[in-house]
Amino acid sequence: MLVAGNFGQSLLAAPAMAAKIELSTEQKHHIASAIDQLESNPDRSTAEEMSLNILQAILPERLPTQTRLLANYPNPFNPETWIPFQLSQDAEVRLTIYNVTGNAIRQMQSGHLTAGSYIQTEKAIYWDGKTDTGEQVSSGTYFYQLQAGAYTETRKMVILK
């Protein structure tokens, strides 16, 4: 509908209009597939080139191809850190922080999140260096584990005071 309503219009308007569109993860995957197909054709027609530009404006950032837990930043940290991750599919997301003896000291539920990159500080999981009971943790090594659907991964971080 967006393409048909703007066919022949300047492509400069497409990004502004695309920001208003809420796409499902499945729709994003279909658009990415269409972009891939159009990009693989080196002899694109003018209409195909225009369609490619519009689809790229609608989906400026590709969905991750795999779910991944990334390194926290900063690391070492004091007293707070951000834990970035990527989701290839929509999933219930939970992060658990463990002390060096393997005891869970903090659980954070992010809820049901859509596929995408949660890398910037506004989107990454924030940890204030406190336990579930609100106590500040001591200096040392901690482990953080991301569970997103069937995916689970654990990484190490260090707090220095």
Side-chain angles (χ1 to χ4, degrees):
M1 189 162 125
L2 176 68
V3 174
N6 290 291
F7 193 79
Q9 300 289 324
S10 166
L11 291 179
L12 298 176
M17 294 187 71
K20 299 175 188 174
I21 297 173
E22 289 291 327
L23 298 171
S24 70
T25 300
E26 183 179 357
Q27 289 170 323
K28 289 177 184 178
H29 282 295
H30 286 302
I31 292 170
S33 176
I35 290 170
D36 290 342
Q37 287 178 8
L38 287 167
E39 285 179 336
S40 70
N41 179 5
D43 301 319
R44 290 185 289 272
S45 68
T46 304
E48 288 173 325
E49 189 67 36
M50 182 183 288
S51 296
L52 175 61
N53 290 335
I54 291 171
L55 291 173
Q56 288 172 330
I58 292 170
L59 190 67
E61 182 181 310
R62 293 293 187 96
L63 291 177
T65 56
Q66 62 184 16
T67 297
R68 295 179 27 196
L69 175 62
L70 304 171
N72 67 302
Y73 60 91
N75 190 22
F77 65 97
N78 178 23
E80 59 190 14
T81 190
W82 286 263
I83 300 165
F85 59 98
Q86 296 176 323
L87 298 176
S88 62
Q89 297 291 325
D90 299 357
E92 288 289 326
V93 175
R94 180 177 73 203
L95 185 89
T96 306
I97 298 174
Y98 298 91
N99 62 19
V100 74
T101 61
N103 296 319
I105 60 165
R106 182 80 182 261
Q107 286 203 3
M108 294 178 266
Q109 303 284 345
S110 294
H112 188 79
L113 299 177
T114 59
S117 294
Y118 296 83
I119 295 174
Q120 300 87 355
T121 52
E122 313 83 55
K123 293 183 176 184
I125 297 172
Y126 169 77
W127 184 42
D128 58 5
K130 295 181 181 178
T131 65
D132 279 333
T133 59
E135 298 172 53
Q136 191 70 41
V137 300
S138 59
S139 293
T141 301
Y142 294 86
F143 297 91
Y144 57 103
Q145 182 178 67
L146 182 75
Q147 291 179 295
Y151 173 88
T152 302
E153 187 174 348
T154 305
R155 286 183 170 254
K156 180 171 67 170
M157 62 183 159
V158 176
I159 184 167
L160 290 177
K161 294 185 177 186

